[in-house]
Amino acid sequence: MPGVADRVVIVTGAGGGLGREYARLLASEGALVVVNDLGGARDGTGEGHNMADTVVAEIRAAGGTAVANYDSVATTEGAQSLVKTALDAFGAIHGVVNNAGILRDMSFPKMTPEAFEAVQRVHLFGAFNVTHAAWGHFREQGYGRVVMATSTSGLYGNFGQANYGAAKLGLVGLMNTLALEGRKYDIKVNSVAPMAATRMTADIAPAEMLEKLPPEQVAPVIGHLVSEECEDTGLILVVGGGSVQRVQLFAGKPVLFSQVPSIDEVRENWSRITDMSDAQPGVNPAG
Ligand code: NAI
């Protein structure tokens, strides 16, 4: 049974919360895990070895195999060094779970360019950096599994999270193209929007809701998506509290104009344009 046994998987931001659960489950299934974590606070400030080291110690105590890495995914050099950690320790890289994340919530009028950029750097550039550093190895061996951590804040919006939502839906855009480019090399790229009680959500969601969202409930879906058995690519799944739900973009029936319409003609057709009753899964007309 192939699963993830002997597969080398990097889990970014695996020093706590969801990443820790992903790393522990993968290791318990025989994966060789690189536990990456910068070890900072929720807003991305600070750093340290303790978080990643603790998870590696837990995995080893349970009989699994893991090494720690403390690089920031937010830089190209950090991501290259992270992939090198996998290659040096285990001689290969088969999977990347782009899980590392930070929060800098503020309402849009108060949002600073620094807060906007810092969040893109960790989530969007972080996933780009690590996946890009691993991609050549995936292509060469004709095998790779990538998971993006997206969010319902990106898929649907959430007050105070313009920076985070933009980064999280950016990851879906990145996935869409990588899913296409990876197809002929058996590289599968999927996205999971988790819902879990972690330090990230501790003061965001109500306590009674968080009680029903233990992070270990998300991990088995990640386990499937990084396994050899995963045949899908380009999926978005919302996962948490015992629920696994696929989300997809749908497109309404096109309204066709034989010549450039006037603004009034656009308005006259507005209810048809916005009608989704005959919607079908969206496809790229250029693809
Ligand atoms: P968390 O704060 O416990 O975990 C994030 C980890 O990433 C931390 O351990 C942190 O030290 C690490 N990290 C931050 N910046 C880093 C960097 N530059 N390089 C390496 N590591 C870095 O939060 P949680 O909830 O476990 O989040 C995991 C992922 O799931 C994040 O991408 C988050 O946006 C996403 N997510 C979580 C949701 C939830 O309900 N908990 C909801 C939607 C998305």
Side-chain angles (χ1 to χ4, degrees):
M1 148 93 184
V4 292
D6 297 325
R7 292 300 191 184
V8 181
V9 183
I10 290 173
V11 183
T12 71
L18 286 156
R20 170 173 171 263
E21 297 302 332
Y22 302 163
R24 283 156 45 112
L25 181 67
L26 291 170
S28 75
E29 295 283 317
L32 314 174
V33 181
V34 181
V35 175
N36 158 263
D37 208 291
L38 183 64
R42 189 175 79 164
D43 67 357
T45 55
E47 58 189 318
H49 292 189
N50 191 35
M51 291 176 75
D53 285 346
T54 302
V55 175
V56 168
E58 287 172 357
I59 288 173
R60 289 183 181 160
T65 306
V67 292
N69 172 279
Y70 322 106
D71 287 305
S72 172
V73 298
T75 67
T76 314
E77 303 74 38
Q80 283 168 350
S81 161
L82 170 53
V83 170
K84 188 171 180 304
T85 300
L87 298 174
D88 289 349
F90 304 123
I93 173 71
H94 301 112
V96 171
V97 182
N98 289 301
N99 168 78
I102 63 168
L103 279 187
R104 299 264 174 104
D105 290 3
M106 49 199 88
S107 65
F108 194 55
K110 291 188 187 139
M111 186 156 291
T112 60
E114 292 75 22
F116 193 83
E117 185 171 339
V119 167
Q120 311 309 311
R121 285 271 160 221
V122 176
H123 292 272
L124 188 53
F125 282 74
F128 164 76
N129 290 334
V130 181
T131 309
H132 196 254
W135 198 258
H137 301 282
F138 291 163
R139 275 174 52 128
E140 250 167 53
Q141 70 201 6
Y143 183 86
R145 297 287 181 268
V146 179
V147 181
M148 307 292 184
T150 184
S151 168
T152 53
S153 299
L155 297 169
Y156 306 123
N158 196 24
F159 197 93
Q161 294 196 319
N163 50 359
Y164 181 77
K168 288 309 208 186
L169 203 54
L171 287 164
V172 173
L174 179 61
M175 171 196 76
N176 286 335
T177 288
L178 297 190
L180 295 176
E181 292 194 13
R183 249 180 224 282
K184 77 174 190 198
Y185 304 101
D186 191 15
I187 305 172
K188 315 283 197 224
V189 189
N190 293 287
S191 295
V192 168
M195 295 183 300
T198 65
R199 72 178 190 178
M200 196 172 267
T201 46
D203 55 0
I204 291 178
E208 58 277 14
M209 184 200 255
L210 291 173
E211 266 168 35
K212 298 181 189 129
L213 300 173
E216 58 267 29
Q217 286 195 320
V218 183
V221 174
I222 303 293
H224 171 63
L225 293 175
V226 296
S227 73
E228 210 166 310
E229 286 88 341
C230 174
E231 290 177 357
D232 292 298
T233 194
L235 296 187
I236 307 167
L237 300 160
V238 177
V239 185
S243 155
V244 183
Q245 178 187 40
R246 183 173 171 195
V247 173
Q248 191 177 4
L249 279 179
F250 274 64
K253 216 171 164 189
V255 174
L256 303 173
F257 296 95
S258 53
Q259 51 201 347
V260 179
S262 66
I263 295 173
D264 275 343
E265 283 168 328
V266 171
R267 282 197 195 106
E268 279 156 24
N269 284 283
W270 201 246
S271 59
R272 289 174 61 217
I273 291 170
T274 55
D275 177 26
M276 293 296 279
S277 49
D278 290 320
Q280 297 286 330
V283 287
N284 183 353

